[in-house]
Amino acid sequence: METHKGGTLPKRSCDHSRTCSKTSHSCVCDSVLAVLVLLQLVLLAVGLAYVLYVTAPVGDVCTWWPWAVAISCLIFLLDALATSALLSGLVCARVKRAKYDYYVEMEERVMNSVQDGSSSAAPKPSMSTCCCWILGIFVVLLFVVIVALVVVVALYNPTTVLPTQLPGLYEALDIKYDVNGVPHITAQNVHDAFMGVALVHCRDRLWQMDMSRRLGLGSLSELLGSTALRADMSIHILGLNRAVERTVAALDDTTRMVMQAYVDGVNAYLATNPTLPLEYTVLGVTPRQWEIGDLIAWFKVIDMYMSHDLRRTQMFYDFLTVYGLSYERIMTLLPPVDRSAVPTAILLEDMANGHGPALGRVCPASETDPPAMIDFINSFIGQAAPTGDEEDDDSSSGKYFFSEFFFGGVKASNNWVVSGEFTGAGPILANDPHLTLSSPSVWYQLHLTIEDEQEIYGVTFPGYPFALLGKTNKFSWGVTNAGVDVQDLYLIDLDPSDSSRYMKHGVSYPFKVITEQIAVKDSSSYPVTVRLTQDDMPILTDMYMPIRNGPPIALKWACIDPSVTDTTPKGLYHLNLDVDDWASFKDAMSYSIGPVLNFVFASNTGDIGYHLVGRVPQRPLGFTGGWPVPYNGSYDWNGFIEFNDLPWTLNPPRGWIANANSMITPIGYEAEGCLMPGGWDAHFRQQRMDDVLAELVANANQHPVSVYDMQTLQMDAVAYRFNSLYPLFETLHQHPELLSDDSQEWVQRLLFWDSDSGIGSHEAAIFNSFLLELLRVDKAETGQDQWGNWFNAWMHIVNVFTGDEYDPGCGGDCLAYAAQAFNNAFIRVNSSTEWGVDVHKAYFLHSVMSSAPDMVSCMFNRNAEDGGDCATIQSGCPADSADFRCVSGPGMRCVFEFPGGDHFENTISWMNSVGNSGNPLSWHYDDLLGPWSDGGFTDPTTAAIETVFHIEPEY
């Protein structure tokens, strides 16, 4: 025995057998644990794969979905119990052994320190012990996550079962979903057909439908709370909700019957207590019953979305009052379009000799403003210029909430039609409407067959019964936004003695005042006061477009005008169910009030045609519609242009018609050479479309125009806009001293670029990055980062950088400005950046969940590779952001061909942008995203059937 301060300790030697036993035990423990972890992962993977397989079923499996969920849960439960028991035992044994080893080792260290008089630090737990704990925690967390996923999948079943019986049906209804998520509805009568449309809309897009109707009624706050209050107030002040009530009251009996059938279908679906979409659970809300007005509300929103003239006029007024620009300067920034130098959708020869309306008609408005109007406009210069004392809100920043909320994004679309004379079959019609990209898509595809009545392959808006574009056995049709100016702003002269009244013709009139209540989630209702003129124009400045020290501003627009009976639903009813030739097509479209659209038409008899559709105001001479005008009676509308006087053509001699939101009619359509005012898109898409179609038609004898040709043209990304700036690159190439090394190399490369901005193009990345820098030239004057993307503002950019026009934004040397812009282009891209891959992806954002934390939003948002730019046929306007993301584009592509010659089958070729389902857990939520990005198409006439529902009337 040895003596020590603390007493005596037995002298011991190292027990090598015990050390080896400890090591052996640890190895065995770790090996068993590793095997169990691998087994756990395998079993979890098998169970998860089984659940995922069930969520993308093949055949009619909806009836055994509950069993699939039950079996999957049982697999997870048994696996968890067995593994947890073994894991717990091993962990406990491992911990006990670790504690024992710890004390033994501690004792040895103390003994050794006593022997040699040194100090000893406490040993740390072994690495294997830490790994044991980490692996154990990982397995448990993984199990919890997987079980939670199974529960979510079980609760929000993407293969929702439709009822086998439905009250309100007259006869049996069959609904078959194909492998692309497109429903094929077969009904015995019109009433049941539109109940079926309601069922599939509800099954796949219920949340989207609810948001759409509430947007149009100004009741988003009831779902989303106070964050949506300003949007709702805008709708109430604008009066869309009141316009909905008037439209419902004016419905004819036949249209009302169909819309009521749709409403009954929605409410019958809700009465089955279906599993509601995830969004309802996240927000803790439920949908209310539907009414006919809910259907009308969404279409009013579409009308508002397509009528962007209000934003343009607001912007002009902002230039005057906030930025202090004169009329002359604004006209320099937005130079008048030379119609003799740009392509128009309709040519004079298209309308001559009975192919269109009579030429030399009375001009509806002036193309230029008279001197008196110019003086009046300039009287507002600087009236609302910031003083520096304002608070940072909408009224002091010059930003308009209404405009940005409802009119953001680029609305560009293409449609064209080619005569069967050049196809070797029947006519081919192509259409790709461009709206804000969203997840789910704003569009919904369906196939509707009504026995002995009609068969429609239609593209619809969820929440609205009628197809907006599509094909029947007798005709096909497509639409683009016409861009015609249908909204005017009037400056109200307040009565100096009483601000509750206004003056007109020297007479004082009281404002009409309405107070409406907005329901707000988790709060009391919010009152909103609306002021109207005696002819029911709303005072917009009570909510948005606030102008300091300026007069109240009222809006004139047929969509909300009580004196205009909105018969648009009647027109769409007849379009879907009654049209079989050009005459009946024109008759149906004559009922349409808005939005004002370009319709192209093709029939099974070989006719092709175009018609401008909607109510276009007849303005007095001297009123262009581009500026706010005095509300004194001198600028009141003289009704609307007669439907038959609107631009149209039938079977034009050239054999094809095309439109890309461009100027519609050439000089000579109107008697005095003037033009219906509007915000036309730059002509580059129209020119490219005309060039390609002309070449295809010219070579049709050797190579008939085909559906594939039309599909290829829809994906065309050749940037004619680049060509208009080509002289600038030639000049920059001659001045290398102004450029960085990278810029010199890329200017040289761009001179040999074919201007194809497709996916993967390095040149497109450099060019568009340069362009976004170049277009800042007028930011100080206009407040717009990308001024050149506005209407015909591009012509000003071309004049400045390829001509001799001076712009103060250049700082005295526009060539040096352009060179610096090119140097700055490399801040966000480099020589290896691929357009559409590294930058400029298409982003499909959810209406609400896109603003949620990433862990939640990633479940709803999607993105995909995308080519093109603002001025290509494959439109994809890049945002001025680090990633140049694209948020608007062709959400739907369609190509329809009629049989003829040696071709005996109808061709239905279409592609939705994301998927047909709005359920993020469904395979069909984003199954079309990859094919959409690749330019693919699906054919509903040959697609395999996946799921079948047979629904009987419930008596």
Side-chain angles (χ1 to χ4, degrees), residues 173-487:
L173 180 70
D174 288 308
I175 299 175
K176 301 176 182 180
Y177 279 85
D178 66 27
V179 292
N180 299 309
V182 175
H184 301 255
I185 306 167
T186 302
Q188 308 304 310
N189 57 76
V190 172
H191 174 274
D192 291 353
F194 286 96
M195 285 195 75
V197 172
L199 287 177
V200 297
H201 279 175
C202 287
R203 179 184 186 266
D204 296 326
R205 303 287 189 90
L206 183 60
W207 171 259
Q208 185 183 34
M209 293 166 59
D210 208 350
M211 287 290 290
S212 298
R213 65 165 170 172
R214 289 180 178 277
L215 177 58
L217 293 172
S219 61
L220 284 173
S221 300
E222 193 174 7
L223 279 185
L224 306 179
S226 58
T227 57
L229 189 56
R230 294 200 68 190
D232 287 344
M233 291 174 66
S234 294
I235 292 297
H236 283 264
I237 290 174
L238 185 65
L240 280 193
N241 56 320
R242 298 184 294 277
V244 165
E245 295 174 358
R246 292 191 296 269
T247 303
V248 172
L251 286 174
D252 63 285
D253 292 340
T254 305
T255 308
R256 183 183 297 275
M257 179 274 293
V258 170
M259 301 192 90
Q260 187 61 53
Y262 184 95
V263 168
D264 291 343
V266 174
N267 291 331
Y269 176 85
L270 294 176
T272 64
N273 295 317
T275 300
L276 295 176
L278 273 170
E279 293 91 336
Y280 286 106
T281 300
V282 171
L283 295 175
V285 293
T286 56
R288 60 169 174 79
Q289 291 287 291
W290 277 60
E291 301 172 353
I292 291 180
D294 297 328
L295 282 55
I296 306 295
W298 174 231
F299 208 76
K300 291 289 185 183
V301 171
I302 297 301
D303 196 347
M304 176 177 63
Y305 191 76
M306 296 289 189
S307 304
H308 50 58
D309 320 289
L310 175 60
R311 182 180 192 181
R312 184 165 57 99
T313 308
Q314 284 180 326
M315 185 173 62
F316 288 177
Y317 197 48
D318 197 21
F319 294 163
L320 284 166
T321 60
V322 177
Y323 294 97
L325 303 184
S326 67
Y327 171 90
E328 292 76 13
R329 178 56 182 162
I330 295 172
M331 287 297 98
T332 300
L333 292 168
L334 279 167
V337 177
D338 181 0
R339 284 190 288 158
S340 65
V342 298
T344 55
I346 307 298
L347 307 180
L348 282 182
E349 53 265 35
D350 292 341
M351 297 183 287
N353 301 319
H355 292 286
L359 300 179
R361 54 182 299 279
V362 175
C363 181
S366 295
E367 192 168 12
T368 58
D369 297 291
M373 174 59 72
I374 295 174
D375 292 340
F376 173 78
I377 292 169
N378 282 333
S379 69
F380 287 91
I381 293 176
Q383 281 196 5
T387 63
D389 299 326
E390 299 88 346
E391 295 181 3
D392 185 17
D393 58 16
D394 288 325
S395 61
S396 62
S397 65
K399 295 182 178 179
Y400 306 141
F401 170 80
F402 179 83
S403 294
E404 294 176 351
F405 186 86
F406 293 112
F407 300 104
V410 175
K411 279 75 72 174
S413 304
N414 307 306
N415 64 11
W416 62 84
V417 59
V418 179
S419 170
E421 178 185 354
F422 304 104
T423 67
I428 301 178
L429 184 147
N431 189 199
D432 54 306
H434 306 171
L435 297 173
T436 299
L437 299 175
S438 62
S439 188
S441 168
V442 69
W443 303 105
Y444 184 88
Q445 304 155 288
L446 58 81
H447 173 210
L448 178 62
T449 301
I450 307 172
E451 293 294 336
D452 302 324
E453 292 239 8
Q454 185 66 287
E455 182 179 20
I456 308 171
Y457 288 91
V459 179
T460 64
F461 290 129
Y464 198 74
F466 305 121
L468 276 298
L469 57 109
K471 181 182 182 299
T472 72
N473 288 333
K474 296 181 179 179
F475 84 108
S476 58
W477 74 101
V479 297
T480 66
N481 190 5
V484 176
D485 189 346
V486 296
Q487 298 171 325

Side-chain angles (χ1 to χ4, degrees), residues 665-929:
T665 56
I667 295 174
Y669 166 63
E670 304 94 348
E672 300 179 21
C674 59
L675 178 69
M676 288 179 299
W680 318 113
D681 198 30
H683 67 276
F684 301 113
R685 282 186 297 126
Q686 182 73 49
Q687 186 66 66
R688 175 62 178 170
M689 209 180 298
D690 288 352
D691 290 348
V692 173
L693 289 173
E695 182 179 358
L696 288 172
V697 166
N699 297 323
N701 287 335
Q702 292 77 31
H703 304 286
V705 180
S706 67
V707 168
Y708 177 76
D709 292 331
M710 302 298 95
Q711 294 172 343
T712 302
L713 183 53
Q714 287 183 333
M715 295 298 293
D716 186 282
V718 173
Y720 273 18
R721 185 163 63 164
F722 166 77
N723 299 337
S724 67
L725 281 181
Y726 194 84
L728 173 61
F729 294 106
E730 291 181 315
T731 305
L732 287 173
H733 181 61
Q734 297 167 6
H735 294 273
E737 71 279 3
L738 298 175
L739 301 169
S740 66
D741 293 341
D742 285 338
S743 295
Q744 291 179 42
E745 175 188 349
W746 276 96
V747 165
Q748 175 71 26
R749 288 186 61 171
L750 287 175
L751 288 174
F752 294 94
W753 182 35
D754 63 1
S755 70
D756 189 339
S757 301
I759 294 173
S761 170
H762 300 289
E763 291 85 354
I766 299 297
F767 172 66
N768 280 281
S769 183
F770 160 66
L771 205 57
L772 290 175
E773 297 296 329
L774 188 72
L775 296 184
R776 301 187 199 282
V777 65
D778 294 310
K779 180 178 179 179
E781 285 190 285
T782 66
Q784 305 288 328
D785 279 311
Q786 303 302 316
W787 175 243
N789 288 329
W790 277 98
F791 308 108
N792 51 321
W794 179 259
M795 295 300 99
H796 167 67
I797 298 298
V798 173
N799 294 339
V800 168
F801 291 104
T802 66
D804 55 5
E805 184 176 312
Y806 172 72
D807 192 298
C810 293
D813 188 342
C814 288
L815 181 61
Y817 180 93
Q820 187 58 49
F822 206 103
N823 294 335
N824 292 341
F826 292 90
I827 295 175
R828 289 187 283 187
V829 298
N830 55 54
S831 59
S832 63
T833 303
E834 292 186 83
W835 190 245
V837 179
D838 302 313
V839 294
H840 190 255
K841 287 188 174 182
Y843 277 78
F844 302 83
L845 304 181
H846 189 273
S847 59
V848 175
M849 297 303 172
S850 59
S851 59
D854 290 345
M855 289 186 63
V856 177
S857 64
C858 68
M859 186 176 182
F860 296 89
N861 297 337
R862 296 291 186 270
N863 66 76
E865 296 180 356
D866 188 37
D869 62 29
C870 295
T872 57
I873 294 176
Q874 183 194 359
S875 179
C877 203
D880 188 11
S881 59
D883 57 4
F884 299 97
R885 62 177 53 193
C886 174
V887 295
S888 63
M892 174 64 61
R893 299 189 186 103
C894 301
V895 179
F896 305 129
E897 182 182 34
F898 282 103
D902 296 329
H903 181 73
F904 302 104
E905 299 293 332
N906 286 293
T907 298
I908 313 292
S909 177
W910 58 13
M911 176 58 66
N912 208 340
S913 53
V914 187
N916 230 27
S917 174
N919 188 330
L921 298 177
S922 169
W923 174 260
H924 297 304
Y925 184 74
D926 59 2
D927 58 328
L928 302 179
L929 188 57

Side-chain angles (χ1 to χ4, degrees), residues 639-655:
F640 300 93
I641 299 175
E642 292 293 329
F643 181 75
N644 286 327
D645 286 335
L646 294 173
W648 64 270
T649 183
L650 177 66
N651 298 323
R654 58 176 168 162

